[in-house]
C-alpha cells in the first residue's frame, strides 16, 4: 500500500457514503427503506455469505497463500481459475509486457477464468447490493435480464462459469432449467416482498434459500483501508484498478451474446461522469426505470451512491407505478430508452410536475413531439449515446445557451444528435476505413469510433473478437454517423441498418426522424425489405397516438415533403407496439421477417 | 496507445471544453473576455512559444529520438535532465520495481531534474493559462507568490532550476534580482492592461518581452488524441498519469519552503472532486479570490474548466473589487481563507444577494459570527480542510440534513469541524504514535493522517523528507485533531501550536474559538509565550469589529465562562490586522516574537 496512490474502484463510494451519511435513505423499495448504514451492512452480509462459495476460502486454487506466490509465475501463463489478488499482477504485467503490441490493454484478463456471480432479477435492492457485494467478495458480477429464455441463460451461465446464481423467484424454474441438474452452482431466490411473487418452496425451489436467508450471517468486518476482497476477506478496495468488476452480456439483435468485461477504473470514472452530467447530489432521488442489467444501469448503480443520493427501486416499468413514484417519492432523476419517455408522457396519470425531473435518454434519439410534451410538463430531457462496450453512455448532447432561442422544432432537432464526449471520456470520432477523420460537414458518413477509460477491457474469452473491435487502437462501434461543424456527432445508422436501394444508401434513422416529426407518430422503425428491382426498399412500422386517423398516404406525403423521393417508404405498417430488446432497441430483425 | 485506457490529466478538460463550448466565456478579466476557443488558442500559442526553451527541441537531452531509446535504459538510472516522455517509463518502473519497499510511489520522480517554468503573478489570465500551457509543452509549472522577497525567490528558482520565468511587471525588478546576472533563464513580463502596471522597458525590463509579445507565435496544432507535450510538440495528453504536472512550494511559517510535486492523476481526480463538492456547472462564474499559486488554486484552475464554467480573474483581493464582481459579473462561487470571508462581510459595499454565492473556505474554521452574517446575506458557506501536500482541500464538512434544526450557534459549531473525506479521497484518520486509530470519542487527540490519490508524489529533490512524511504508508499532516462519533474530524492544533502550560496541553484553536464566539471579535490568534513558572502561557491577539469598545477583561471573562481557568489567556493584545501568509495562515511565529 502506498500513501500517495490508491486504485480506483466504485466500491469506495459505498464505503464513504455509509461513513458520512449513515442515517440518510439509500434505498427505497415499496414500503421498505434502507439507510446508508443498513445498505452497507447488508452488502457486507451478502459478501460474507458469498465468500465460502468462491475460490480462496478453502485451500482451493486462489487461496491467499497460493496467490501470494503467483506473483512470480509467468503472468501470461495458461488460463485457469485465479484468486482476485492475481488481478493486480496480471493487469500490470499486461500493460508492462505482453500487451505492448496490442491495440488494447488487458488481453490476459480476458483469457482467465474468473469467479463470477450472476443475478437474474428486476431492479430490486438485492440487484443493487450485488453491484457492491460481489466485487467486495472478490468475484465478478454478471447481471442478467430475467426475461431471457432458459436456452439463452444456459449459454451465458456456462460461458461465464457462474458459481452462484441469484434469481427472482418468478423465473426460478427457468433458471433451474438453464442450469440443469448437478451443475454444482449455488442457487438463491429473490422473493420480492413488495410484489405478489412468493418464495418457491417445491419443485425448482426445493431447498433454494431466499436472499434474506442467504445473507443471514454475521457480517465480516471489511479489511483495512484499500484492501481487496476475496480469499476469504471482504474488502472495498482492489489491488489493481484495471481488474474486472462486472461482466455484461450484450443483448445484440443477432448472434450469440458477447460478455463485455468492465474494469474497476472504468466503472469509477464513468460513475463520476454520470454524477456530473446528471447533476446528482445528496438530495437526488433516482427512480430505477433503467434496468440494472443493462451496462450496470449505465453505472448509475454506483453514481447515485457516490453522490449520497437515494435509489428508488422499481420492479416493473409501468405508467401507474412511475407516476406514483413521482408523486409520492419526490423523484428527481431517471434514465431510460425513448420508450420510457413515451410511457411517461402518454400515461393517463400524467400531469404537470411541481419540481423538474431530469430524464436521461438513450438507445435512439427522442422524438421531437415527445421532447416538447415532456418539457411542457416540467421534465428536463438529456440525450446521451453509448453502447454496452463503453459502460453505457459515453457522449452527451450538451445543451447550448443559444438553443434557447430556437423554435421547439429546431431545438428538438439539435437535441436528437448524439453530441460530444462526456467529461470523463475522450473525444468521439467519425472516421473512414483508414481511420482518417471524416470532414466535420454534417453530411459525410463514417463510422463512430471511441477510446479511453470508458471502453471495456474486452470480450470475455474472445480475444480475436476484441482485437477486431479495437483495430487501430479505437473501439469500432459499428454505428454510422456524421460529424457536424460544431463537433457534435449524429448517428445515421447501424452499419447493418443502412438500406441500400438502387445503389443509393438510405439511412433508416433519417427516414424515422422524418416520420417522427409528424405529430401523430409516437414510435417508428424503418427497415429494408428485399426488392426485386431495387435490391432493398424501406418499409416503415409506425405506432400512432391514441385515436389518430392518420393514413399511410398522409405519412408518405409527410416524408416526401422532407426527403428525396427514393427515401419515401414503400409502405407503412401500423401497429400498437414495436418489438424491442430489454434495453429499448427495436428488434429490426423481427420487423424484417 | 491503447483503445481502452487513457492516462488521466486535467489538460483534457481544456481540450474538451474548447471543443464543446467554443463560444462560451472562459475567462473574464476586467473588460476583456476570452471564449473557450480563444482560451485554448492562447494556451497553444503560449505552449508553442515555450517549446524552443525546453529540452528536446534542439537535439539536447530528451529529444524525441533520444527519449525513444531511453526506454531500454535503467529506469532508476542517475538523475539528469529528461524529456517528458520519460515520465511514463520512470513512473511505471517506480511502481513495478524499485519502489516496492517504499511507503509511497514515485521516489525516482523526485530525484530527477525536470524542466520547469515559474509564474510569479497574481490571478491573471496568463497565470491561469500557464496551468495548461506549461504541461502541454512538456514542462512542470511552478506558480509562485509575487509577494516573495528576492531572497526567497532566489532559493526557489534555483531549487526548481526554472528555465523560463514569467513575472508580473510590478515585481520584475525583484525577480531579476533573484535570478542574478547570466542566469540563462528566459524572463517574460506580464503587464496587466487592466491595472496601472505598465511594461518595464528599461533597467530590469530591458529586452524582456511582455506576455503578449512572448506568445505572439503561430500556434502548433496539438498532437493527436492523448499525445503528450514536450520534445517539440504541444499535447493535451500525458504518457503516464503519475508523471508530475506542477510543483508548489509550501509557504510554511518556518524553515525553507519545500517543493511539493503534484501528478497529473492527482490533479485530475481532485478537480473532479472540486467540481462535485462545489457544484460547478457550465453556468458557474468563479471569482478568483484564492491565489492560483496556492495548491494551483485548490485545483480549481482545472475544475472550473472541466465544468465549462467561467473564470473571473481578480488582481487584488479588495472589498470594493469583490463586491463589484458580485454585482456586475454574476459570480456564483469563490474560495478563500476566513480572512476573505471577513473582508466580504465587513465591506461597506455589502448588501443582501439576489442569488446565492457559494464560498468554500479553509485555512482555519470560519468564525460562527461570520458564518451567521454571511448566511443571512445569502451566501452558502462550506468549510474544507487540506494542505499543500494533498492538492489543497481533502476533507469537507458535509452539511447534514439534521443540522437545519440546530440553533445558529450549534450549527456553526458543527460547521467549524474539518469533516470527512471528499468524494475522490480516502478516509482521513486520527491516529496515535503507532498508527492505531484514536477512539471516535471527540476528545482523544491524535495526528491527522491521510492517503490516496490526492497525496503529493513527494517533496522535490528531498526523498528523506518525503519518506519521513509518508512513514507507515500514510501522509502525516502534523495537525492534531479528534475523531467525532459521526466520523467527522476536528483539528485541535498544529503540533507546534499546542501550548503546554504547567504540563497541561492547551489547544490554541479551542481558545481562539471561545474568543470568536464573542460578537465583537473579528479575527483572533492565540499563541504560547514563554513563562518562568508554567513553561508557556496563552496570549491572544484580537481584531475587534469597527467601533467596538470591548476590553481585555471583558474577553478574558468571556473565555472563562466557557473554558477551564488555565486556558484563559494571560493577556489580550488588540490590533488592526493579524499578520498572515499569502495563503491566509496567521504567522504565529511573528506574534510569538
Amino acid at each position: 500500500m502506498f500513501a500517495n496512490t490508491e486504485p480506483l474502484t466504485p466500491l469506495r463510494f459505498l464505503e464513504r457514503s455509509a461513513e458520512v451519511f449513515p442515517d440518510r435513505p439509500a434505498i427505497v423499495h415499496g414500503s421498505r427503506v434502507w439507510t446508508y448504514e443498513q445498505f452497507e451492512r447488508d452488502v457486507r452480509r451478502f459478501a460474507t455469505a458469498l465468500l465460502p462459495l468462491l475460490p480462496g476460502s478453502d485451500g482451493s486454487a486462489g487461496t491467499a497463500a497460493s496467490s501470494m506466490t503467483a506473483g512470480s509465475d509467468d503472468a501470461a501463463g495458461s488460463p485457469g481459475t485465479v484468486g482476485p489478488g492475481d488481478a493486480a499482477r496480471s493487469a500490470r504485467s499486461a500493460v508492462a509486457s505482453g500487451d505492448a503490441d496490442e491495440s488494447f490493454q488487458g488481453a490476459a484478463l480476458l483469457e482467465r477464468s474468473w469467479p463470477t456471480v450472476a443475478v437474474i432479477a428486476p431492479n430490486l435492492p438485492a440487484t443493487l447490493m450485488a453491484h457492491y457485494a460481489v466485487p467486495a467478495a472478490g468475484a465478478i458480477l454478471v447481471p442478467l435480464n430475467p426475461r431471457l429464455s432458459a436456452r439463452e441463460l444456459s449459454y451465458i451461465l456456462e460461458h461465464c462459469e457462474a458459481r452462484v446464481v441469484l434469481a427472482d423467484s418468478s423465473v426460478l424454474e427457468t433458471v433451474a432449467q438453464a442450469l440443469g441438474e448437478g451443475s454444482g452452482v449455488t442457487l438463491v431466490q429473490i422473493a420480492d416482498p413488495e410484489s405478489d411473487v412468493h418464495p418457491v418452496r417445491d419443485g425448482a425451489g426445493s431447498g433454494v434459500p431466499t436472499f434474506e436467508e442467504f445473507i443471514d450471517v454475521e457480517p465480516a468486518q471489511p479489511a483495512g483501508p484499500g484492501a481487496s476482497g476475496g480469499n476469504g476477506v471482504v474488502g472495498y478496495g482492489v489491488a489493481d484498478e484495471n481488474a474486472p468488476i462486472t461482466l455484461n452480456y450484450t443483448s445484440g439483435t443477432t448472434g450469440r451474446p458477447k460478455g463485455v468485461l468492465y474494469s474497476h477504473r472504468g466503472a469509477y470514472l464513468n460513475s463520476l461522469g454520470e454524477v456530473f452530467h446528471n447533476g446528482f447530489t445528496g438530495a437526488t432521488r433516482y427512480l430505477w426505470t433503467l434496468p440494472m442489467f443493462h451496462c450496470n444501469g449505465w453505472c448509475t448503480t454506483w453514481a447515485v451512491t457516490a453522490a449520497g443520493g437515494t435509489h428508488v427501486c422499481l420492479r416493473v416499468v409501468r405508467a401507474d407505478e412511475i407516476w406514483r413514484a413521482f408523486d409520492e417519492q419526490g423523484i428527481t432523476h431517471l434514465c431510460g430508452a425513448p420508450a420510457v419517455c413515451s410511457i411517461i408522457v402518454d400515461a393517463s396519470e400524467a400531469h404537470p410536475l411541481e419540481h423538474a425531473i431530469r430524464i436521461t435518454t438513450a438507445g435512439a434519439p427522442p422524438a421531437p413531439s415527445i421532447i416538447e410534451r415532456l418539457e411542457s410538463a416540467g421534465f428536463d430531457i438529456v440525450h446521451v449515446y453509448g453502447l454496452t462496450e463503453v459502460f453505457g453512455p459515453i457522449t452527451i448532447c450538451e445543451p447550448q445557451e443559444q438553443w434557447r432561442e430556437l423554435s421547439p422544432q429546431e431545438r428538438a432537432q439539435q437535441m436528437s444528435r448524439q453530441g460530444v464526449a462526456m467529461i470523463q471520456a475522450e473525444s468521439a470520432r467519425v472516421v473512414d476505413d483508414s481511420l482518417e477523420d471524416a470532414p466535420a460537414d454534417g453530411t459525410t458518413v463514417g463510422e463512430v469510433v471511441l477510446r479511453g477509460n470508458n471502453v471495456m477491457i474486452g470480450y470475455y474469452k474472445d480475444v480475436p473478437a476484441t482485437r477486431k473491435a479495437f483495430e487501430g487502437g479505437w473501439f469500432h462501434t459499428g454505428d454510422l454517423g456524421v460529424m457536424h461543424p460544431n463537433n457534435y456527432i449524429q448517428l445515421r445508422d447501424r452499419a447493418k441498418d443502412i438500406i441500400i436501394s438502387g445503389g443509393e444508401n438510405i439511412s433508416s434513422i433519417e427516414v424515422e426522424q422524418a416520420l417522427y416529426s409528424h405529430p401523430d407518430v409516437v414510435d417508428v422503425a424503418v427497415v429494408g425489405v428485399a426488392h426485386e428491382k431495387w435490391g432493398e426498399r424501406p418499409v416503415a412500422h409506425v405506432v400512432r397516438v391514441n385515436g389518430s386517423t392518420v393514413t399511410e398516404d398522409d405519412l408518405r406525403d409527410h416524408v416526401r415533403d422532407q426527403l428525396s423521393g427514393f427515401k419515401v417508404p414503400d409502405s407503412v405498417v401500423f401497429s400498437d407496439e414495436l418489438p424491442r430488446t430489454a434495453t429499448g432497441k427495436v428488434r429490426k430483425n423481427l420487423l424484417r421477417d
Side-chain angles (χ1 to χ4, degrees), chain A:
Chain A
M1 193 174 79
F2 293 126
N4 59 357
T5 191
E6 179 65 25
L8 304 175
T9 167
L11 303 182
R12 166 67 188 149
F13 297 140
L14 176 60
E15 187 182 43
R16 178 181 184 272
S17 286
E19 198 171 289
V20 178
F21 307 112
D23 302 327
R24 190 180 281 174
I27 311 178
V28 174
H29 180 49
S31 60
R32 285 212 58 189
V33 177
W34 282 254
T35 63
Y36 266 103
E37 187 172 39
Q38 292 164 334
F39 179 17
E40 189 276 332
R41 190 166 186 278
D42 275 359
V43 162
R44 215 149 21 88
R45 292 166 74 211
F46 189 174
T48 306
L50 287 172
L51 285 178
L53 307 169
L54 299 172
S57 58
D58 56 359
S60 69
T63 59
S66 70
S67 76
M68 278 174 72
T69 57
S72 56
D73 294 343
D74 176 11
S78 62
T81 301
V82 289
D86 293 337
R89 279 174 290 275
S90 49
R92 250 177 222 158
S93 59
V95 177
S97 61
D99 276 7
D101 296 331
E102 291 278 18
S103 54
F104 64 105
Q105 169 183 293
L109 301 177
L110 302 174
E111 294 174 315
R112 299 268 170 133
S113 177
W114 295 98
T116 65
V117 174
V119 175
I120 309 167
N123 287 343
L124 302 176
T127 319
L128 179 64
M129 288 173 190
H131 281 77
Y132 299 90
V134 174
I140 289 161
L141 173 68
V142 187
L144 294 171
N145 187 345
R147 290 197 194 162
L148 292 176
S149 68
R151 194 154 162 273
E152 292 166 310
L153 285 173
S154 174
Y155 171 78
I156 292 172
L157 294 173
E158 261 182 51
H159 186 266
C160 72
E161 299 170 72
R163 286 148 193 267
V164 183
V165 176
L166 293 94
D168 194 76
S169 297
S170 67
V171 297
L172 195 62
E173 200 166 330
T174 312
V175 173
Q177 194 187 330
L179 287 170
E181 294 203 3
S183 69
V185 171
T186 304
L187 193 55
V188 175
Q189 59 178 317
I190 306 173
D192 179 2
E194 300 287 332
S195 75
D196 51 8
V197 173
H198 298 292
V200 181
R201 294 300 188 186
D202 52 10
S206 297
V208 174
T210 64
F211 179 67
E212 285 72 21
E213 289 161 356
F214 179 68
I215 71 167
D216 186 18
V217 299
E218 189 56 37
Q221 281 307 307
S228 311
N231 296 321
V233 167
V234 173
Y236 291 129
V238 66
D240 191 291
E241 64 194 36
N242 295 307
I245 182 168
T246 57
L247 179 56
N248 288 279
Y249 281 84
T250 52
S251 59
T253 45
T254 54
R256 285 291 204 188
K258 290 198 183 101
V260 174
L261 203 58
Y262 286 1
S263 67
H264 283 259
R265 174 182 167 102
Y268 178 96
L269 293 170
N270 194 296
S271 297
L272 288 184
E274 292 290 336
V275 167
F276 175 70
H277 287 291
N278 285 291
F280 289 151
T281 69
T284 290
R285 293 183 66 92
Y286 180 84
L287 184 64
W288 270 105
T289 43
L290 178 75
M292 293 186 197
F293 56 75
H294 179 40
C295 315
N296 305 115
W298 303 352
C299 296
T300 303
T301 41
W302 299 301
V304 170
T305 302
T310 304
H311 299 266
V312 180
C313 290
L314 193 68
R315 186 180 174 84
V316 276
V317 176
R318 223 170 52 202
D320 56 341
E321 293 287 341
I322 293 173
W323 276 96
R324 192 150 64 111
F326 290 171
D327 293 339
E328 295 176 7
Q329 291 291 345
I331 297 305
T332 57
H333 294 78
L334 64 88
C335 298
V340 174
C341 298
S342 302
I343 289 173
I344 291 170
V345 82
D346 288 336
S348 57
E349 296 85 353
H351 58 75
L353 299 174
E354 279 177 31
H355 66 264
I357 295 178
R358 163 82 65 106
I359 301 182
T360 303
T361 189
S369 60
I370 290 180
I371 293 178
E372 272 184 68
R373 289 165 67 200
L374 282 170
E375 287 192 342
S376 64
F379 292 88
D380 251 356
I381 312 300
V382 180
H383 176 211
V384 298
Y385 158 72
L387 306 91
T388 301
E389 285 86 343
V390 294
F391 294 71
I394 193 164
T395 72
I396 177 169
C397 188
E398 286 264 20
Q400 298 279 343
E401 291 83 65
Q402 52 273 36
W403 292 359
R404 288 189 208 123
E405 291 148 33
L406 298 179
S407 71
Q409 201 65 27
E410 288 169 324
R411 209 159 55 82
Q413 196 183 17
Q414 292 290 338
M415 286 176 63
S416 74
R417 296 180 180 171
Q418 280 64 28
V420 293
M422 286 168 65
I423 193 172
Q424 83 290 354
E426 301 305 304
S427 303
R429 294 173 66 204
V430 173
V431 298
D432 65 17
D433 289 347
S434 339
L435 272 175
E436 295 293 324
D437 283 304
D441 57 10
T443 58
T444 307
V445 174
E447 186 179 13
V448 176
V449 295
L450 305 165
R451 58 180 287 277
N453 295 303
N454 284 119
V455 173
M456 63 175 176
I457 302 174
Y459 297 117
Y460 190 41
K461 299 181 185 172
D462 198 347
V463 171
T466 307
R467 230 169 242 147
K468 184 153 182 293
F470 287 152
E471 227 169 83
W474 290 82
F475 170 63
H476 294 259
T477 64
D479 285 331
L480 300 183
V482 297
M483 179 65 79
H484 285 280
N486 68 346
N487 298 317
Y488 279 52
I489 61 166
Q490 181 173 18
L491 290 202
R492 286 295 195 226
D493 239 318
R494 292 283 308 171
K496 64 179 177 298
D497 290 340
I498 278 281
I499 300 161
I500 303 177
S501 175
E504 295 278 2
N505 285 354
I506 301 177
S507 156
S508 64
I509 291 187
E510 192 179 24
V511 183
E512 284 162 8
Q513 290 191 331
L515 283 160
Y516 258 139
S517 70
H518 191 287
D520 280 12
V521 171
V522 171
D523 204 358
V524 64
V526 171
V527 297
V529 294
H531 189 281
E532 205 169 336
K533 179 171 178 192
W534 302 112
E536 275 188 314
R537 286 296 302 150
V539 168
H541 293 257
V542 165
V543 181
R544 286 174 291 192
V545 297
N546 277 342
S548 165
T549 55
V550 72
T551 66
E552 178 171 0
D553 283 346
D554 294 342
L555 291 179
R556 297 181 72 243
D557 289 347
H558 183 75
V559 174
R560 190 172 293 111
D561 288 346
Q562 299 170 67
L563 304 177
S564 319
F566 74 93
K567 296 182 178 174
V568 177
D570 277 9
S571 62
V572 178
V573 182
F574 293 112
S575 50
D576 289 342
E577 197 181 5
L578 298 180
R580 288 185 185 274
T581 67
T583 61
K585 284 183 189 158
V586 174
R587 302 178 71 119
K588 288 196 172 179
N589 53 331
L590 293 187
L591 295 179
R592 279 189 208 100
D593 297 346

